[in-house]
Amino acid sequence: MTLLALFIAPPAQAGDPLTEKSAGRKYALQSRAASERAGKKMCVSAEINDAGNQAGKLRARTNCESLDSLGSWETFTLHTNDKGSRAALRSEANGLYVSAEFHDTGSHTGMLRARQAGAIGNWERFELESRDDGWYSLKYNFTEGGTSKDYFVSAEINSTGSDEGLLRARATGTPGSWEQFKLVEIPSSSSPPDAASTPERKINVLTWNACGNNSDCAIYEYSVDSFAKAVTDRAKQAKAEVILLQEFCEKLAKPLEKKLEADLNGGADAWDVRFAPIQHQIGTTEHWAQKSCAKNRGAYGVAIAVPAENTWYKALELDSPKNTERRTALCAAIPSWAVMSCTAHFSTGGKGYDDEDRNQQKAQADFLARKVGYTGYRAVFGGDLNATPTVTPKGSDLPVLLSLYQTHKECDDPLNRTTAGNSKLDYLFVPPSATWSGCTVGATAVPSDHKPVWGTVTLPAR
């Protein structure tokens, strides 16, 4: 299992407010040629302050010996809408995808710019071809007017002035150092802030698989505002103070945050909505790209809504069956409550699904049971775990979710009412010292395909 993407919010040099809530992996793009010429590590920047058709152009021109010195101009995320066959780069500075500009002419033909606000298209997709020692070439296929041709991205280190180090998709021969780049993951190493001493506290918690990217669900056709209202209506019904969400689209986080504040808090700054992506491996490389939602709603994954005091949140990547989506969990600290709240979405299990023998689901449950505990914090967590309380993995008589039940107390145990079709798949867990009261399963799943589950937990003084 992988512990990933620790964040202190708000991020420095924040970009698009619709994408700045994410705990997804972040990268710098190091140029081999620029680094060799400079005698030090040199990384790519998106020139956000340039104007016109120069806006957002990518140049290998920034010293990145220290990753701590990099800002949003040098920070990118990877995305895919074809299950990892190709990847798109998105700039953290403006939230826009990088395009290869083949309608520009002369020395700017094929120039790379962070300028695409719409969904990922052919101009934004690149293949990663492995070279030596962790270097990759970015291959772009230009197809237009009945012709198709592959180009490698070059760093134009011999150009001068504002075009020095310009990235262009223009090389057709065997890639050399100009056509080699390294994706350097930017760490954000920190521990959660110290948890406060707190009296006994009651907390209302809601979990819901919102089905935000499934065309079989009515909510898929909802506008952004209607989606935010649907979640907020369930939060009102549950009187929720913590909301765990699955099958959620990244760019819905900020609109949901504003809707919760408008309807529940009179517009006051009372909520933070955080997001973590589900990913696909990029080809056979060691890198992973965030799965895209439809309707240009950013990445696909899980989200959590917590009080606005939250500054620390972390994605917990869940090892998943090979050649399938890498599922995830997301934790967010609430220091004044001494609560660590986490949302999770496990791999689908059973015959015909990603994890046919359910052994990976068991590993995901065991991992989550171990990792949600942070010193001084009480874990309040759950989500769509895609397994019933009694289902067992192949070769075992012990339930997939046994480790969670052994270490925590579930909201609807022992009733175990159905939450999706004829099965209980959705859960809320708390420490054994806590007490559940009034656990409720929503009357209907519509407009999702999962019913919401909510309850009130009493946590002892700490």
Side-chain angles (χ1 to χ4, degrees), residues 84 254 311 385 435 440:
K254 191 64 177 180
T311 60
L385 306 188
T435 303
T440 301

Side-chain angles (χ1 to χ4, degrees), residues 88-428:
L89 290 162
R90 193 177 73 188
S91 168
E92 282 288 282
N94 61 8
L96 303 181
Y97 295 111
V98 171
S99 299
E101 304 290 5
F102 270 82
H103 287 172
D104 287 3
T105 58
S107 63
H108 285 172
T109 301
M111 173 174 60
L112 268 56
R113 292 174 54 209
R115 61 86 176 164
Q116 173 58 276
I120 298 169
N122 287 335
W123 287 33
E124 290 76 47
R125 296 190 184 104
F126 300 86
E127 290 183 45
L128 269 63
E129 288 199 357
S130 181
R131 302 299 164 197
D132 63 304
D133 297 328
W135 296 97
Y136 291 89
S137 296
L138 305 179
K139 186 167 75 174
Y140 172 78
N141 176 261
F142 178 69
T143 300
E144 190 171 82
T147 63
S148 179
K149 190 171 183 178
D150 290 335
Y151 298 90
F152 291 103
V153 174
S154 298
E156 304 289 10
I157 61 173
N158 283 345
S159 294
T160 59
S162 62
D163 282 347
E164 183 178 358
L166 181 68
L167 266 58
R168 293 174 57 205
R170 60 90 176 157
T172 56
T174 301
S177 64
W178 287 30
E179 290 77 47
Q180 294 184 39
F181 301 88
K182 186 174 289 187
L183 289 161
V184 183
E185 191 169 339
I186 299 175
S188 196
S189 57
S190 66
S191 298
D194 291 341
S197 297
T198 179
E200 179 181 279
R201 178 180 294 275
K202 292 181 182 291
I203 302 173
N204 298 321
V205 188
L206 164 70
T207 185
W208 190 33
N209 179 325
C211 202
N213 197 49
N214 184 342
S215 60
D216 291 335
C217 294
I219 202 168
Y220 177 82
E221 298 297 342
Y222 280 20
S223 67
V224 171
D225 289 345
S226 295
F227 182 96
K229 181 179 185 301
V231 176
T232 301
D233 286 348
R234 282 148 187 81
K236 288 179 183 177
Q237 187 177 9
K239 299 180 180 178
E241 297 162 283
V242 171
I243 306 169
L244 317 180
L245 297 163
Q246 306 85 45
E247 296 196 30
F248 189 90
C249 294
E250 175 190 23
K251 290 186 180 180
L252 299 174
K254 191 64 177 180
L256 174 58
E257 183 179 297
K258 290 183 175 296
K259 181 64 173 175
L260 290 168
E261 291 171 345
D263 284 18
L264 303 182
N265 305 94
D269 180 14
W271 291 86
D272 271 321
V273 180
R274 308 299 189 187
F275 172 84
I278 285 169
Q279 301 171 98
H280 284 286
Q281 187 175 9
I282 306 173
T284 59
T285 75
E286 62 183 5
H287 297 295
W288 295 76
Q290 302 178 27
K291 177 180 176 178
S292 292
C293 274
K295 300 178 181 289
N296 191 31
R297 291 182 174 178
Y300 169 76
V302 300
I304 190 166
V306 292
E309 72 172 82
N310 169 255
T311 60
W312 187 95
Y313 53 110
K314 176 170 66 174
L316 303 179
E317 293 183 354
L318 304 174
D319 284 350
S320 301
K322 188 176 181 179
N323 298 322
T324 69
E325 298 174 352
R326 174 179 270 183
R327 297 298 177 97
T328 194
L330 170 66
C331 295
I334 311 170
S336 70
W337 296 359
V339 165
M340 184 67 70
S341 191
C342 307
T343 179
H345 193 191
F346 285 5
S347 297
T348 55
K351 188 175 181 180
Y353 291 96
D354 287 354
D355 187 18
E356 290 204 359
D357 61 14
R358 295 188 183 271
N359 283 310
Q360 202 66 60
Q361 284 188 334
K362 179 185 181 302
Q364 292 171 350
D366 293 350
F367 174 78
L368 194 62
R370 294 193 309 270
K371 294 300 182 182
V372 293
Y374 291 85
T375 301
Y377 283 88
R378 286 81 58 84
V380 177
F381 69 99
D384 175 6
L385 306 188
N386 268 316
T388 67
T390 58
V391 71
T392 59
K394 185 177 180 179
S396 174
D397 295 328
L398 301 177
V400 163
L401 303 181
L402 178 62
S403 59
L404 295 174
Y405 277 91
Q406 287 178 327
T407 55
H408 297 84
K409 188 181 295 183
E410 208 278 320
C411 176
D412 202 38
D413 184 29
L415 292 178
N416 293 328
R417 288 167 286 182
T418 61
T419 63
N422 296 318
S423 301
K424 174 178 172 62
L425 302 180
D426 302 272
Y427 297 83
L428 289 169

Side-chain angles (χ1 to χ4, degrees), residues 48-67:
I48 304 304
N49 286 343
D50 286 5
N53 66 357
Q54 305 293 299
K57 69 182 182 182
L58 269 54
R59 293 175 56 208
R61 56 92 171 165
T62 300
N63 182 341
C64 54
E65 285 288 329
S66 169
L67 295 177

